[in-house]
Amino acid sequence: MPRNFKITLAYDGHEFHGWQIQPGKPTIQGTLAETIERITGEQTLPQGSGRTDAGVHALGQVASVALQTPIPADGLHIALNDKLPPSIRALTVGEAAPDFHARHSAKGKTYRYRIYRAAICSPFLAHYVWHYPWRLDESVMQSATAFIQGEHDFTSFAASDPDRAQRIRDAEDEDGPSNVRTIYDAVWRTEGHELIFEVRGNGFLHHMVRNLVGTFVDFGKWQHPAESMAKILREKSRSAAGPAAPASGLYLVNVEY
Amino acid sequence: MPRNFKITLAYDGHEFHGWQIQPGKPTIQGTLAETIERITGEQTLPQGSGRTDAGVHALGQVASVALQTPIPADGLHIALNDKLPPSIRALTVGEAAPDFHARHSAKGKTYRYRIYRAAICSPFLAHYVWHYPWRLDESVMQSATAFIQGEHDFTSFAASDPDRAQRIRDAEDEDGPSNVRTIYDAVWRTEGHELIFEVRGNGFLHHMVRNLVGTFVDFGKWQHPAESMAKILREKSRSAAGPAAPASGLYLVNVEY
């Protein structure tokens, strides 16, 4: 009987074409699958808690994978960090219950988005923040953020993705057919030159955090009064909300089970 | 009459083959020269305070360049940051006295070296530190460091560079023919998971900081008692000292004039 492993990963998304395996392109899922095959000889497709887009980072992505290998979890952990590129690190490796699945078992997730506000962006942060040095009214952003707390239909913030209809019919679709999600906490804070958004919820639609952040920045530019956030949600239309914020500032912080 | 400019630069050395211009390879000096030409139409070779090697970073490198352009310094500053890649930033641009030269006028420099001590290196630091998770006796490293304070012949820590004899005969050689340098301050400190070396002196030989750090790490492994640092300096031989530490952990912090 195979053993089921839970692997917590951090990665620098700048060096990859996203989580999902793609022929001929470096991806996190593809690199992890190849590395596991080099260590165990087993061909597998590790499942992530969700797909991160190209350029999106992870501080605590979770993957699950069933393996026949007799290697203990600690040995697999050491071997993974030995063979993976330095831009992906296995933070923890442990055995999980046979029915544990990184995506289906997830109960909640936290994302962070970093906006860098100084006039000149440090060259060491270019791929790790959204450099936005222009004026923003943070109090309007804070007020608009209050409207997303709780259970809502987030269709206005879902990727306007041409194959989405197809993906909804696909049993493997990570989001499921409903666009209703519950946001437990959503806050903005300032740290040095950075304005940081942190959001925790029971799940997120494709592009949802980047679409929320791009919309909150529109609020910060006084394009709408904070109350119109309720209307944007009610419209259930991608065109009601603002543009997506760049991938470079987004981090999957952790996944709860 | 040309105007003389002083440009302070920060750069992510991971994305370049060092400071010095090389045909067909991305270098800081080459990228800066091309960018100045795109802005002003003038072909120049900006002079740096010293050459940083491939992979070495700068928080405050200084370059000087003579230009005929009528563009004010502030306008040149904005244009540089608009046209340079995000991995190089002009922190300040100002007019300097006609005889100012980034290398010849330099009176002192500060370098920093970052060693990352945690068992697993963050994927976001892989190119920005030396990951050294093994045991080190920091007190021996501190004691050995005291021996480099003041004026010494640092031949034991100079690059064992086959074209060095040639370069010494070359009037453009940045180091000059003597290997005597004065170290004003050299300290190790701990910050979170990092062990950080900071050294300020009137000048540094090629590879000197990396060779010093590699040697201090040998001391930290109890390969020598701290007092043998005096003997290593006296021997004036590269083979007396330890190996070079990797480029990834080294930062040129600032240059004094």
Side-chain angles (χ1 to χ4, degrees):
Chain A
M1 193 171 125
R3 297 150 71 208
N4 197 18
F5 288 92
K6 177 187 178 190
I7 303 175
T8 312
L9 297 165
Y11 48 79
D12 175 350
H14 162 56
E15 307 202 359
F16 297 93
H17 289 258
W19 168 266
Q20 194 174 12
I21 197 161
Q22 292 179 62
K25 287 187 177 163
T27 66
I28 321 295
Q29 189 182 34
T31 306
L32 185 60
E34 279 168 33
T35 306
I36 289 172
E37 187 178 354
R38 283 178 66 194
I39 295 167
T40 65
E42 297 175 63
Q43 291 198 342
T44 62
L45 191 63
Q47 296 298 306
S49 73
R51 301 161 191 162
T52 53
D53 288 327
V56 174
H57 313 289
L59 304 174
Q61 168 70 293
V62 174
S64 55
V65 63
L67 294 170
Q68 303 284 349
T69 181
I71 302 174
D74 285 356
L76 186 60
H77 189 188
I78 291 167
L80 280 171
N81 283 331
D82 188 48
K83 302 273 187 269
L84 282 166
S87 45
I88 307 178
R89 294 290 87 187
L91 302 181
T92 65
V93 176
E95 279 196 69
D99 61 347
F100 175 78
H101 184 286
R103 186 168 69 248
H104 302 146
S105 308
K107 298 269 187 293
K109 277 187 190 177
T110 299
Y111 280 95
R112 183 177 298 155
Y113 196 95
R114 295 169 61 183
I115 301 180
Y116 193 75
R117 305 282 295 129
I120 298 174
C121 188
S122 160
F124 302 100
L125 292 177
H127 304 299
Y128 305 107
V129 295
W130 179 15
H131 183 219
Y132 192 93
W134 302 285
R135 198 163 172 189
L136 284 176
D137 184 333
E138 295 171 23
S139 67
V140 182
M141 295 168 70
Q142 289 280 11
S143 305
T145 300
F147 288 86
I148 66 162
Q149 300 264 2
E151 188 179 270
H152 300 280
D153 185 314
F154 284 97
T155 302
S156 295
F157 299 96
S160 50
D161 192 337
D163 5 292
R164 181 160 166 77
Q166 178 55 47
R167 290 202 296 116
I168 287 174
R169 287 189 291 273
D170 172 2
E172 277 292 288
D173 181 72
E174 73 195 82
D175 305 325
S178 159
N179 284 341
V180 174
R181 295 293 183 277
T182 301
I183 299 300
Y184 305 128
D185 292 297
V187 288
W188 288 92
R189 66 173 193 273
T190 302
E191 254 185 54
H193 289 300
E194 296 186 28
L195 184 58
I196 300 172
F197 179 61
E198 199 144 320
V199 60
R200 181 172 158 261
N202 69 347
F204 293 86
L205 306 173
H206 191 216
H207 284 188
M208 177 169 153
V209 182
R210 292 169 57 191
N211 290 339
L212 283 167
V213 169
T215 303
F216 290 134
V217 164
D218 275 358
F219 276 93
K221 296 188 278 184
W222 299 292
Q223 296 196 352
H224 324 276
E227 303 68 42
S228 63
M229 193 67 186
K231 184 166 165 291
I232 293 173
L233 282 164
R234 271 199 313 272
E235 289 200 15
K236 296 187 187 119
S237 156
R238 180 69 193 89
S239 60
S248 54
L250 185 60
Y251 295 73
L252 172 55
V253 175
N254 64 47
V255 188
E256 297 159 52
Y257 292 95
Chain B
M1 196 171 122
R3 296 149 74 208
N4 197 18
F5 287 92
K6 178 187 178 190
I7 303 173
T8 312
L9 297 165
Y11 48 78
D12 175 350
H14 161 57
E15 307 203 359
F16 297 93
H17 288 259
W19 168 266
Q20 195 174 11
I21 196 161
Q22 291 179 65
K25 286 185 176 165
T27 67
I28 321 296
Q29 191 182 32
T31 305
L32 185 60
E34 278 168 33
T35 306
I36 289 172
E37 188 178 351
R38 283 177 66 194
I39 296 167
T40 65
E42 296 176 64
Q43 290 199 341
T44 62
L45 191 62
Q47 296 298 305
S49 73
R51 301 162 191 161
T52 52
D53 289 326
V56 174
H57 314 289
L59 304 174
Q61 168 70 291
V62 174
S64 55
V65 64
L67 294 169
Q68 304 284 350
T69 182
I71 303 174
D74 284 356
L76 187 60
H77 189 187
I78 291 167
L80 280 170
N81 283 332
D82 189 48
K83 302 273 188 270
L84 283 166
S87 45
I88 305 179
R89 292 291 88 187
L91 302 181
T92 66
V93 176
E95 279 197 68
D99 62 347
F100 175 78
H101 186 286
R103 186 168 70 249
H104 302 145
S105 309
K107 299 267 187 294
K109 276 186 190 175
T110 300
Y111 280 95
R112 184 177 298 154
Y113 197 96
R114 296 169 59 181
I115 302 179
Y116 193 76
R117 306 281 296 131
I120 297 175
C121 189
S122 158
F124 302 99
L125 292 177
H127 305 298
Y128 305 107
V129 295
W130 178 15
H131 183 220
Y132 192 95
W134 301 284
R135 199 164 171 189
L136 285 175
D137 185 333
E138 296 171 23
S139 67
V140 182
M141 295 169 70
Q142 289 280 12
S143 306
T145 300
F147 288 87
I148 67 161
Q149 301 263 1
E151 189 180 88
H152 299 280
D153 185 315
F154 283 97
T155 302
S156 295
F157 298 95
S160 48
D161 192 337
D163 16 289
R164 182 160 164 76
Q166 179 54 48
R167 290 203 295 116
I168 287 174
R169 285 188 292 272
D170 170 1
E172 279 292 290
D173 181 73
E174 75 195 85
D175 304 326
S178 158
N179 284 340
V180 174
R181 294 293 183 278
T182 301
I183 298 301
Y184 305 127
D185 293 298
V187 289
W188 288 93
R189 67 172 193 276
T190 302
E191 255 183 54
H193 288 301
E194 295 187 28
L195 184 58
I196 299 172
F197 180 60
E198 198 143 319
V199 61
R200 182 173 158 260
N202 67 347
F204 292 87
L205 306 171
H206 192 215
H207 283 188
M208 179 168 150
V209 182
R210 291 169 57 191
N211 289 338
L212 282 168
V213 169
T215 304
F216 290 134
V217 165
D218 275 359
F219 277 92
K221 294 189 280 183
W222 299 292
Q223 295 196 352
H224 325 274
E227 303 70 38
S228 62
M229 193 66 184
K231 185 166 166 291
I232 293 173
L233 283 164
R234 271 199 312 275
E235 289 200 15
K236 298 187 184 114
S237 156
R238 181 69 193 90
S239 61
S248 55
L250 186 59
Y251 295 74
L252 172 56
V253 175
N254 65 48
V255 188
E256 296 160 51
Y257 292 96

